[in-house]
Amino acid sequence: MQCSYPADGSPAKPVDPPSEWAPAAGEVTVTLRLTAGDVPITMDRAKAPCTVNSVVSLAEQGYFDDTQCHRLTDYGIFVLQCGDPSATGTGGPGYTFADEVDPSLTYGAGTVAMANRGRDTNGSQFFLVYADTQLSPDYTVFGTMDQAGIDVVGASPRRASTPWTARRRSLRRRSPRPSSADLSRSR
């Protein structure tokens, strides 16, 4: 599938845009390694090929390494937001890409979706839903967490004073034996 990643400001951390050709089938399994524990995520290329293509490219370039998850909500919506190396909520990769949404989207516990600042403004920020959350279907859902990941993220409101930092080499493809500081992808 062909994707478009037009330039949009300066990147929060040096990074190249992904290839404009994205696989449109299959899954990519990754582990987001946070200071609080590991969060296994399965990304679905069929649902969001351009999104998965971008996230994988950013992860392979180390974009998410040593970054803080800058937003935690525990009232009304239940999400941990990550993916901004500046930890301000305003940083991105220096490009955007289109939404991959449909009106039937829901955001149940375990959902992984893109954060945005309006239509077709996806960049690098994403959120992890740790309890069922009511949101309009404006955020591209590109993956799911397993129960272990939900448990790690769900413990965050009780540890709100602890920074949620994505550790060194935090978003990588999962290998058979990932190191303790890796977000790895299965091949």
Side-chain angles (χ1 to χ4, degrees):
M1 166 168 218
Q2 187 167 9
C3 305
S4 178
Y5 301 101
D8 182 53
S10 298
K13 190 174 181 178
V15 69
D16 294 321
S19 165
E20 291 188 352
W21 293 99
E27 294 181 338
V28 179
T29 304
V30 297
T31 301
L32 175 61
R33 299 199 183 277
L34 300 172
T35 51
D38 292 351
V39 180
I41 299 170
T42 300
M43 299 187 291
D44 187 344
R45 287 182 171 137
K47 282 186 179 179
C50 296
T51 302
V52 173
N53 189 49
S54 178
V55 171
V56 167
S57 173
L58 291 171
E60 289 176 344
Q61 295 179 68
Y63 186 81
F64 300 112
D65 296 356
D66 299 319
T67 62
Q68 287 190 1
C69 295
H70 62 276
R71 179 178 181 217
L72 171 66
T73 61
D74 62 358
Y75 182 78
I77 63 171
F78 304 93
V79 303
L80 177 65
Q81 188 168 327
C82 307
D84 172 10
S86 74
T88 63
T90 61
Y95 63 83
T96 60
F97 56 94
D99 297 330
E100 295 173 292
V101 297
D102 70 66
S104 68
L105 285 175
T106 60
Y107 303 91
T111 299
V112 181
M114 292 303 293
N116 62 48
R117 59 183 196 276
R119 185 178 175 160
D120 297 333
T121 60
N122 298 292
S124 60
Q125 295 185 43
F126 58 93
F127 59 91
L128 310 165
V129 181
Y130 63 90
D132 291 351
T133 295
Q134 296 295 314
L135 292 168
S136 59
D138 299 328
Y139 305 95
T140 299
V141 173
F142 67 95
T144 56
M145 294 181 285
D146 68 8
Q147 188 59 51
I150 294 169
D151 293 345
V152 168
V153 177
S156 59
R158 293 186 295 279
R159 295 189 227 162
S161 62
T162 303
W164 284 76
T165 303
R167 297 187 314 222
R168 185 176 177 275
R169 298 184 50 89
S170 61
L171 188 58
R172 295 280 183 250
R173 297 176 188 184
R174 189 181 307 174
S175 59
R177 299 187 72 191
S179 70
S180 62
D182 225 2
L183 174 53
S184 327
R185 174 181 145 179
S186 298
R187 295 191 189 263

